[in-house]
Structure formats: C-alpha cells, structure tokens
C-alpha cells in the first residue's frame, strides 16, 4: 500500500486571517499562521500513514520536510483539481492548532475503508480535511458551505468528528477556544 500524500493550502504572500485584525496585529497574525502550519506539518510527519507533505502556496514556504506546489491563483478548488490524482490524497487546512497525529490516522483509516472521509469544522458548515483514496478527476468544493457540498459529492464518505480536526482558527472566538482547549503551539506567537 502506498502512503498518503498530504496537501496543505496556505496563502503565503497575502494578508491572512484578517478576521483576527481586531485581536492581533499583522505581524502577530503572520506568526500565528506560521505556528499553526508548523503544528499541522509536525502532526502529519508523526502520522505513519503520511508519506509526503506538500504546501500549496503562491510563495515558496520553506517549511522543512515539505514540498512546494505553486498556487497559480486560479482558486483553491481549481488548484487542487490540478494536483489531485493518483492514490491516497489528503487535503488539510493549516489552521488546526489542536490537531493530533492520531486524528489524522483515524481520518485516513476511514477513507481507506470507504473511499473518502470528510472532517467538518465545529459548526459543520466548512471542511477542514478531506481524504480521498482514489481522487481521480475529483474537483473539491472548498469555501463557504463546503461540508454540505462535499457530502453531496461524496455521499458514501465517512464523517470524522474529532476536536483537533474541528477547531480551526478564523475568528477571535475560535482563537480563544483553541487557547482554552490547550493549543500550546500557538500560545507563544501571539
């Protein structure tokens, strides 16, 4: 069996996490984004089923142990459609400060069993991770309301609900929840 390839979309070179602007300065937001991305990368490295880690970004990330996929800015779903293919592909967001390697493994096991697994955000509106055993010509549906769209596109997919896969940081209340829940990887940068 081939290992899983993980893709982390990351908008390097653009202002990020602007909804946190009332809570964090631009430099604090950049440090937060980097700390969360490094945490996700570390957890993916610790997951034995993950063979390769790619960062999809307009600018080269330079994170150790990752490979760069150049984002040509045609939209996340189209970018992913260009790089998906082959076998065992995981798309996982970089803003999951509580992610644990065991949760990654659980998601991948479920995808291996039924062909696909979806990890919704805590509001069950967005998709924080999507694992496809055989992505083929699949075009993801990330963006507002992506969880419902992914469920429609992948009706037999396993739904994996785990705290580290659910708690993403987009708004100040997400940041507070992550910190209260023990996200030590982001406590120092902010």
């Amino acid at each position: 069996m081939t290992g899983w390839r993980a893709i982390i979309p990351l908008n390097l070179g653009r202002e990020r996490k602007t909804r946190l602007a009332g809570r964090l300065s631009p430099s604090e937001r950049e440090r937060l984004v980097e700390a969360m991305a490094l945490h996700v990368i570390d957890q993916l490295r610790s997951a034995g089923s993950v063979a390769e880690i790619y960062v999809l970004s307009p600018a080269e990330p330079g994170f150790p142990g990752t490979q760069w996929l150049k984002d040509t800015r045609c939209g996340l779903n189209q970018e992913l459609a260009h790089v998906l293919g082959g076998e065992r592909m995981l798309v996982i967001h970089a803003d999951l400060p509580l992610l644990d390697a065991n949760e990654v493994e659980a998601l991948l096991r479920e995808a291996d069993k039924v062909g696909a697994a979806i990890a919704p955000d805590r509001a069950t509106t967005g998709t924080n991770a999507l694992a496809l055993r055989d992505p083929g010509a699949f075009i993801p549906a990330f963006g507002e309301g992506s969880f419902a769209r992914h469920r429609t596109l992948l009706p037999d997919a396993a739904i994996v609900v785990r705290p580290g896969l659910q708690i993403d940081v987009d708004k100040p209340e997400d940041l507070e929840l992550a910190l209260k829940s023990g996200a030590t990887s982001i406590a120092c940068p902010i």
Side-chain angles (χ1 to χ4, degrees), residues 29-52:
R29 291 194 314 267
E30 284 304 309
R31 288 194 305 271
L32 174 66
V33 167
E34 184 174 325
M36 289 190 295
L38 287 169
H39 174 75
V40 169
I41 290 165
D42 285 346
Q43 296 311 305
L44 291 171
R45 266 197 222 116
S46 296
S49 298
V50 176
E52 299 172 300

Side-chain angles (χ1 to χ4, degrees), residues 10-146:
L10 193 57
N11 285 324
L12 293 175
R14 300 179 189 169
E15 186 176 11
R16 295 171 293 172
K17 298 296 178 190
T18 55
R19 290 185 278 178
L20 294 173
R23 169 82 161 72
L24 303 174
S25 71
S27 63
E28 289 172 325
R29 291 194 314 267
E30 284 304 309
R31 288 194 305 271
L32 174 66
V33 167
E34 184 174 325
M36 289 190 295
L38 287 169
H39 174 75
V40 169
I41 290 165
D42 285 346
Q43 296 311 305
L44 291 171
R45 266 197 222 116
S46 296
S49 298
V50 176
E52 299 172 300
I53 304 169
Y54 296 87
V55 177
L56 175 65
S57 176
E60 189 167 359
F63 293 129
T66 67
Q67 298 175 58
W68 179 36
L69 294 172
K70 183 157 178 63
D71 180 337
T72 59
R73 300 183 190 227
C74 66
L76 177 57
N77 295 316
Q78 288 303 314
E79 293 289 344
L80 289 170
H82 293 301
V83 298
L84 291 175
E87 293 182 359
R88 293 182 173 78
M89 193 65 85
L90 165 66
V91 178
I92 187 163
H93 289 293
D95 60 353
L96 302 170
L98 295 168
L99 184 68
D100 178 270
N102 293 324
E103 294 172 319
V104 173
E105 290 291 348
L107 180 76
L108 300 179
R109 271 193 309 275
E110 291 301 314
D112 259 335
K113 284 182 201 172
V114 298
I118 306 167
D121 63 11
R122 66 189 173 99
T124 62
T125 57
T127 303
N128 283 341
L130 177 65
L132 303 163
R133 188 177 59 209
D134 182 16
F138 182 76
I139 299 176
F142 287 99
E144 186 98 15
S146 64

Side-chain angles (χ1 to χ4, degrees), residues 125-175:
T125 57
T127 303
N128 283 341
L130 177 65
L132 303 163
R133 188 177 59 209
D134 182 16
F138 182 76
I139 299 176
F142 287 99
E144 186 98 15
S146 64
F147 179 60
R149 286 193 304 278
H150 283 133
R151 290 212 48 183
T152 299
L153 293 168
L154 301 164
D156 297 327
I159 307 305
V160 178
V161 177
R162 302 282 176 103
L165 286 165
Q166 285 186 292
I167 298 174
D168 57 342
V169 176
D170 290 318
K171 300 177 279 194
E173 55 268 24
D174 301 331
L175 179 59

